[in-house]
Amino acid sequence: MDKAAAAAEAVIAGARLDAHKLRADFPIFEQRFHGKPLAYLDSAVTAQKPRQVLDAVRDFYATSYTNVHRGVYLLAEQATERFEGARETVRAFINAASTREIVFTRSATEALNLVAYAWGLDSLGPGDVVVATELEHHSNFVPWQQIAKRTRAKFRPIPVDGSGELQLDALDAIAKEGRVKVVANNLVSNALGTINPVEQLAAWAHEQGAIMVVDAAQGAPHRRIDVQALGCDFLAFSSHKVCGPTGVGVLWGRAELLERMSPFNFGGEMIRKVTVEETSWNELPYKFEAGTPPIGEAVGMGAAIDYLTEIGMEAIEEHEHALAAYALERLADVPGVHVFGPPAERRAGIISFDVKGVHPHDVAQILDWEGVAIRAGHHCCQPLMARLGVAATNRASFYLYTIPEEIDRLVEGLHKVNTTFGNGASPTLGPQ
Ligand SMILES: Cc1ncc(COP(=O)(O)O)c(C=O)c1O
């Protein structure tokens, strides 16, 4: 057995979850692309959906669907019960103190905008400092940059070094610039896979009298989240990255902060009383859920969280970690491949890389012809790309259904990229 096969076998033997078996839950893997089985190495962009989620959504629409919190008839009660049941599932998933603190939004992006607008517009002003990081996704960067501009607060991203690690020794200088009011950071970087020191940043934020906003869009799919242990004040994630439907996300916030904030959207359901002169707001979390919420989507997200919880978040994290270590080892043997980001022990199952002399889009195109799906682009992290001195990278990302053979196919595909482009020969275009 060669070294690669032995390493792949070690990944399988060491795993607490059986990814080969779990794949049978995901109908997408029954299809072929360019005549080849799908090696889906783009789970950071969105996760595939197991039958359990598809069935739950179908069952909800077939048996229990109507609008929630409105009707007095039995069907309406059942729909509301399943919708609110999903809220309780989310609460337990992130260990929040109460379902009052769980706001359903359209996405992680909307959840982060909600905090930036509803908290930021009323809480920030000249002399205040808004701290983000150079490796934020645009969703946790642009809202803070723009709200800082509108309130005339300073916007100061924490710099990263050449391998994408946060430079925490910059914090002292940032604190000297004014009153630090908010620190925004992702738990796991979507571009590099770095696991960020969020607990440490939350402690620093609180020493400054600031709030800590955690973007867990990449953290929630991959590791156990405990909002109380993280010590943050707000946390956001999206259903579609945890194997749930698109169109629903979660904002968790400390009840005392949510209570003090103005609503983000106005309309039905978020009100207590409306007169021509004045309007008062509904209780938490409904004050932040104007209009018909994403009902079927939330039910689907609840089913997805049940699915992940049954497998075990620790087992998922371990599996991805083993895959990342395996991929790093195998990629090291491919000529011209340069990997960005931290060593295996400091990263989740996300690997960004480039291939010398080949544009990432060409790499992704050739891999696609091999049935290997990866992402090529700036990953909504243009400030990070600028810091790394590249316009784009290739990114392979893994999840509970990823198997080492898919990484082998990635590596084989990269050798093909090299033979196509490596010696300066014109590329042979088209699926082979
Ligand atoms: C770290 C991070 N934050 C935020 C988002 C935004 O998530 P959504 O597009 O679901 O709102 C993403 C999506 O890729 C992400 O990776």
Side-chain angles (χ1 to χ4, degrees):
M1 189 186 292
D2 70 10
K3 200 176 132 214
E9 208 154 89
V11 172
I12 296 163
R16 281 204 277 154
L17 63 76
D18 183 346
H20 286 91
K21 195 160 147 236
L22 290 175
R23 281 169 88 77
D25 292 337
F26 292 80
I28 198 87
F29 294 119
E30 289 161 17
Q31 288 187 80
R32 294 174 84 83
F33 293 81
H34 299 300
K36 296 175 177 134
L38 174 65
Y40 186 71
L41 300 180
D42 201 13
S43 290
V45 84
T46 197
Q48 294 300 338
K49 317 302 173 202
R51 265 176 243 285
Q52 289 82 340
V53 170
L54 305 177
D55 290 350
V57 173
R58 192 180 190 291
D59 173 71
F60 175 70
Y61 279 114
T63 67
S64 312
Y65 178 68
T66 181
N67 216 324
V68 292
H69 302 140
R70 289 159 171 83
V72 292
Y73 49 91
L74 183 58
L75 178 60
E77 279 172 20
Q78 285 170 352
T80 303
E81 214 167 274
R82 288 188 66 178
F83 178 68
E84 290 302 326
R87 199 187 302 276
E88 168 53 26
T89 303
V90 170
R91 184 208 65 72
F93 184 56
I94 60 172
N95 194 31
S98 159
T99 50
R100 296 175 64 239
E101 298 183 327
I102 306 295
V103 178
F104 287 136
T105 61
R106 280 190 299 123
S107 59
T109 300
E110 192 186 60
L112 293 163
N113 273 278
L114 191 164
V115 184
Y117 276 90
W119 179 88
L121 282 180
D122 288 341
S123 309
L124 296 169
D128 292 338
V129 183
V130 172
V131 180
T133 83
E134 273 182 351
L135 51 61
E136 288 317 297
H137 188 280
H138 295 159
S139 301
N140 203 26
F141 190 97
V142 182
W144 292 114
Q145 179 195 54
Q146 295 303 310
I147 295 297
K149 268 194 211 303
R150 289 217 349 212
T151 57
R152 293 194 288 131
K154 287 181 184 160
F155 178 66
R156 292 290 178 268
I158 302 171
V160 294
D161 66 15
S163 59
E165 300 272 5
L166 292 178
Q167 299 290 281
L168 296 185
D169 51 9
L171 291 177
D172 286 346
I174 290 175
K176 290 197 182 104
E177 294 218 29
R179 292 180 300 270
V180 177
K181 283 285 195 66
V182 54
V183 180
N185 182 211
N186 56 39
L187 191 52
V188 171
S189 153
N190 62 302
L192 297 178
T194 324
I195 300 164
N196 289 310
V198 160
E199 292 93 333
Q200 202 182 332
L201 273 178
W204 181 79
H206 292 152
E207 271 166 36
Q208 312 301 310
I211 60 160
M212 179 76 203
V213 180
V214 174
D215 169 3
Q218 296 295 341
H222 308 297
R223 45 193 316 213
R224 183 175 293 287
I225 302 283
D226 181 335
V227 288
Q228 303 189 54
L230 281 175
C232 55
D233 299 287
F234 293 98
L235 180 136
F237 71 94
S238 275
S239 155
H240 69 95
K241 293 190 202 276
V242 295
C243 297
T246 52
V248 62
V250 171
L251 174 68
W252 167 82
R254 281 190 198 287
E256 62 271 25
L257 287 167
L258 291 172
E259 295 278 16
R260 274 189 265 138
M261 281 157 55
S262 303
F264 177 46
N265 288 316
F266 301 109
E269 281 303 296
M270 51 75 65
I271 55 89
R272 186 184 304 280
K273 186 165 168 47
V274 182
T275 64
V276 172
E277 293 76 28
E278 211 28 273
T279 299
S280 58
W281 315 131
N282 202 344
E283 62 189 6
L284 293 180
Y286 311 112
K287 175 169 102 176
F288 294 105
E289 293 181 0
T292 297
I295 307 167
E297 290 83 352
V299 168
M301 171 166 62
I305 291 174
D306 285 342
Y307 179 78
L308 297 186
T309 308
E310 192 158 314
I311 294 164
M313 292 310 293
E314 281 80 7
I316 293 171
E317 187 179 358
E318 258 177 40
H319 174 68
E320 279 183 36
H321 191 70
L323 289 170
Y326 177 60
L328 287 175
E329 195 183 314
R330 297 241 39 214
L331 288 172
D333 289 338
V334 185
V337 167
H338 169 75
V339 172
F340 298 95
E345 62 277 10
R346 302 252 314 103
R347 74 161 81 215
I350 295 176
I351 297 181
S352 261
F353 60 93
D354 67 11
V355 181
K356 195 164 175 226
V358 190
H359 192 282
H361 286 148
D362 292 330
V363 174
Q365 182 65 74
I366 290 177
L367 289 172
D368 174 49
W369 292 332
E370 300 303 316
V372 178
I374 64 157
R375 170 96 185 265
H378 55 63
H379 316 296
C380 300
C381 290
Q382 287 182 354
L384 176 66
M385 296 294 121
R387 175 69 186 81
L388 298 175
V390 294
T393 72
N394 302 284
R395 182 185 69 185
S397 53
F398 318 132
Y399 208 8
L400 52 101
Y401 41 69
T402 308
I403 50 177
E405 291 87 330
E406 290 175 301
I407 293 169
D408 296 340
R409 287 178 58 202
L410 168 70
V411 168
E412 279 159 31
L414 290 173
H415 283 298
K416 253 188 199 165
V417 169
N418 268 335
T419 47
T420 310
F421 282 87
N423 54 12
S426 333
T428 322
L429 296 175
Q432 304 295 302

